Amino acid sequence: MRVYALVLMIAAVSTYLLVPLVLRVAIAVGAITQLRSRDVHNHPIPRLGGVAMYLGLVVSFVMASQIPYLGNVFARDSGAWAVLAGAGVMCLIGVLDDVWELTWYAKLAGEVIAAGVMAWFGVQFVSLPIFGLTVGSMRLTLFATIIVVVVVVNAVNFIDGLDGLAAGVVGIGALAFLFYAYYLTRLASPGDYSSVATGVVAGLVGICIGFLPHNFHEARIFMGDSGALMLGTVISGATILVTGQIDPAKVDTAFAVPAYMPIMLPVLVLIIPVVDMVWAVIRRVAQGKSPFEADAGHLHHRLLRRGHSHTAAVLVLYMWAGLVSLGSVATVVYPTRMWIPALVLAFVLAVVITRRNFGKRYIVKREREESLNEHRSGGEHRDIDSMSAR
């Protein structure tokens, strides 16, 4: 596990150091998020942070390829480079959208192309690791891979609405997936813990950690679509490497229960963005709108309207993402008698914490405090926040 921790740290440090450089580029090319009715920030903020994240991932992969223990993981024909290629194309599509704001159908076409690139280089659903099922023909394999990738990248993109939200939720989910992928590798191949999926997810966790200090409230830079689409590509690619390429013939009785988890865990890891995306599509279609039309009805918008501060809303979503994703891994790794009481207690505490901030008295008190502070300072606190953000 120490070698994967090293890959994680390389990705984190590289991303952290690259963000200031990308920030200058974003300002120079005019990739700046202006104020819109659905946004919650109060001044224009540069985007393109996803470029720094992608470059951090590239640096971590290149350096990891020089580690003898990971020689097979990052070999020339490894799936890690296929994921990196697909993520690179997806990041480029996001850059174009961050700078010129593509139409939804142009961006969707680009997402399909990027997913197709990753599939073309070998990251595809070959089988489902239960019941000996195979996807089928080459065309069906390619189609299934593209659908999964496009759904995941849009789920991550939908939740990217508050400072640090997407990077944190994906980072937490990826951390849970890292533990699970490593556990599954040890179970499947005792004595050889090298794994492409584990190496890819370690880099993903690292770039999220390295980006968060620049992106947490108040953010100096947004990841933009270049980051959200790229993160979705990487985590979906890692999922396919685990789920779609396990040989069903090797799934024996001892391996049966963990074999279900590659199918369920990616959904559970991304439960917050997936639920948000599904609800957004249903809501917009019911209102007679395009499912791709942006609005202010996402989970994070609802938390803000219910009385949470910006930071509190993000932390509440972190809490639920961690509970579901890490709890899911615990159900496989630990005996039932251990994880059931722990998960029940964690769930009760999460509900209590969430409900406390939703209380009417909290909302009234917060509104009164904000009104009083604004009256005393004459609005100076907003100017100070803007200066600190810059």
Side-chain angles (χ1 to χ4, degrees):
M1 192 64 174
R2 287 177 294 181
V3 69
Y4 295 117
L6 177 60
V7 175
L8 187 155
M9 288 191 296
I10 292 172
V13 173
S14 301
T15 302
Y16 180 82
L17 295 177
L18 285 166
V19 168
L21 176 61
V22 172
L23 178 61
R24 294 181 181 180
V25 174
I27 295 174
V29 301
I32 298 176
T33 303
Q34 302 297 331
L35 299 181
R36 299 167 297 186
S37 59
R38 69 179 186 270
D39 292 330
V40 297
H41 58 282
N42 55 18
H43 58 276
I45 298 177
R47 42 192 186 224
L48 290 184
V51 175
M53 301 175 81
Y54 179 71
L55 293 176
L57 191 67
V58 171
V59 171
S60 68
F61 279 22
V62 171
M63 296 188 69
S65 67
Q66 304 305 309
I67 301 175
Y69 183 81
L70 298 177
N72 292 332
V73 172
F74 292 97
R76 182 172 299 180
D77 58 347
S78 167
W81 302 111
V83 172
L84 194 65
V89 176
M90 198 71 79
C91 184
L92 177 60
I93 300 300
V95 168
L96 296 177
D97 187 59
D98 287 340
V99 177
W100 289 293
E101 296 189 2
L102 303 175
T103 59
W104 69 265
Y105 47 86
K107 185 163 65 172
L108 180 61
E111 292 171 4
V112 171
I113 292 173
V117 167
M118 188 169 69
W120 179 263
F121 283 106
V123 178
Q124 302 177 10
F125 275 111
V126 175
S127 63
L128 296 179
I130 55 173
F131 309 131
L133 297 177
T134 57
V135 172
S137 67
M138 194 67 180
R139 290 183 180 179
L140 185 58
T141 297
L142 183 63
F143 178 76
T145 303
I146 291 174
I147 290 297
V148 169
V149 175
V150 170
V151 168
V152 172
V153 299
N154 281 284
V156 174
N157 196 28
F158 270 48
I159 202 175
D160 184 24
L162 295 181
D163 296 352
L165 182 55
V169 168
V170 172
I172 292 169
L175 183 63
F177 201 86
L178 173 63
F179 292 148
Y180 176 72
Y182 183 71
Y183 169 80
L184 193 62
T185 300
R186 294 186 60 172
L187 191 65
S189 56
D192 181 11
Y193 302 155
S194 59
S195 161
V196 176
T198 309
V200 169
V201 178
L204 176 60
V205 176
I207 62 176
C208 291
I209 292 174
F211 184 65
L212 273 175
H214 300 282
N215 184 238
F216 203 77
H217 191 64
E218 284 191 10
R220 297 175 55 226
I221 186 172
F222 290 157
M223 69 169 63
D225 278 11
S226 59
L229 301 183
M230 183 271 299
L231 290 181
T233 305
V234 176
I235 197 167
S236 60
T239 299
I240 293 170
L241 287 171
V242 173
T243 307
Q245 298 187 351
I246 293 177
D247 185 356
K250 295 182 179 179
V251 180
D252 55 21
T253 304
F255 202 57
V257 175
Y260 285 89
M261 288 306 292
I263 300 172
M264 297 184 294
L265 188 61
V267 178
L268 295 172
V269 161
L270 293 172
I271 190 67
I272 299 297
V274 167
V275 168
D276 191 38
M277 181 186 69
V278 172
W279 172 245
V281 170
I282 293 173
R283 180 180 66 249
R284 293 167 185 173
V285 171
Q287 295 173 351
K289 300 178 180 178
S290 166
F292 298 96
E293 183 177 343
D295 60 18
H298 294 287
L299 291 175
H300 49 273
H301 291 123
R302 294 174 181 272
L303 288 173
L304 292 174
R305 287 197 292 268
R306 292 295 296 270
H308 281 290
S309 67
H310 192 122
T311 301
V314 171
L315 293 178
V316 166
L317 291 173
Y318 281 5
M319 175 182 65
W320 285 104
L323 175 61
V324 175
S325 58
L326 294 171
S328 301
V329 175
T331 63
V332 173
V333 177
Y334 298 105
T336 303
R337 66 179 183 276
M338 293 179 61
W339 64 258
I340 286 184
L343 284 185
V344 170
L345 178 60
F347 178 80
V348 171
L349 289 175
V351 171
V352 170
I353 293 172
T354 304
R355 293 295 300 173
R356 180 182 177 185
N357 284 337
F358 283 174
K360 183 177 180 181
R361 287 185 299 175
Y362 171 80
I363 299 173
V364 173
K365 180 180 177 182
R366 180 169 174 264
E367 290 176 346
R368 288 177 178 175
E369 288 178 348
E370 289 180 349
S371 178
L372 181 61
N373 290 335
E374 185 174 356
H375 176 73
R376 287 177 176 176
S377 63
E380 292 178 356
H381 64 285
R382 286 196 296 269
D383 294 335
I384 292 173
D385 289 343
S386 298
M387 292 173 62
S388 64
R390 287 193 292 268

